Amino acid sequence: MSIYTLFPTISTTFIVISAVLVAIGWNLAIKRRLDAHKKVMLAGAVFATLFFIVYSSRTIFVGNTVWGGPDSLEPYYRVFLIFHIVLATVAAVFGISTLVLGFKERFAKHRKIGRVTSIMWFFTAVTGVAVYVLLYVMYPGGHTKPMLDAIFGLS
């Protein structure tokens, strides 16, 4: 496994673990096992943060992967990718808001947006895995320059 596939595999694994933990945490909340719910949801947030750190680091230091599939599918992939990025960004904002509401013990609002947040997070994980499969399994593409190289004209 090369550096170009190692980091995406790790980051995708982290986001899947995060989504699984959110599902478990949601189930614990339904069962009113609130201490366990809090711990599992915090673990889910940690894995989401680890995803973001690995993804951002890869983008900065290694670069992103370009579409390697047929040209005829690229527009569909781009639309799907944009949908995933927007969804992930909105879900992250909702996730932070949900965590803050929980810590502030504003449980009515926490419950209300927590349901929406969880569903968005599940879709984010599923679309993230789909992007990974498209870029690294079905249609391995080329790699762009690391962002630092592009900005500072290195290498």
Side-chain angles (χ1 to χ4, degrees):
M1 183 171 284
S2 77
I3 192 168
Y4 295 110
T5 56
L6 177 63
F7 290 123
T9 302
I10 291 169
S11 65
T12 302
T13 301
F14 284 160
I15 210 64
V16 169
I17 292 170
S18 175
V20 168
L21 289 170
V22 167
I24 292 168
W26 192 355
N27 187 40
L28 289 167
I30 290 168
K31 293 178 178 179
R32 307 302 295 163
R33 295 182 51 206
L34 300 180
D35 286 336
H37 163 76
K38 182 177 180 179
K39 289 174 185 173
V40 170
M41 289 304 212
L42 285 173
V46 167
F47 276 97
T49 302
L50 288 171
F51 156 80
F52 183 74
I53 290 168
V54 172
Y55 177 82
S56 299
S57 298
R58 178 180 62 92
T59 299
I60 292 168
F61 298 110
V62 177
N64 283 319
T65 302
V66 297
W67 173 250
D71 290 342
S72 62
L73 294 180
E74 186 173 5
Y76 302 106
Y77 166 74
R78 294 256 177 238
V79 169
F80 184 77
L81 180 63
I82 290 167
F83 170 77
H84 168 70
I85 292 168
V86 169
L87 179 65
T89 303
V90 171
V93 171
F94 267 70
I96 293 166
S97 300
T98 304
L99 287 169
V100 168
L101 288 169
F103 280 118
K104 288 185 173 184
E105 298 183 0
R106 296 182 62 197
F107 297 123
K109 283 189 177 185
H110 173 81
R111 275 191 300 274
K112 186 176 183 177
I113 74 162
R115 293 178 185 115
V116 174
T117 303
S118 296
I119 292 167
M120 278 194 289
W121 203 245
F122 300 143
F123 279 105
T124 297
V126 168
T127 58
V129 170
V131 168
Y132 173 84
V133 168
L134 287 167
L135 286 181
Y136 299 99
V137 178
M138 293 178 65
Y139 304 113
H143 306 283
T144 60
K145 290 174 121 181
M147 187 172 70
L148 290 177
D149 289 357
I151 292 170
F152 296 111
L154 304 172
S155 60

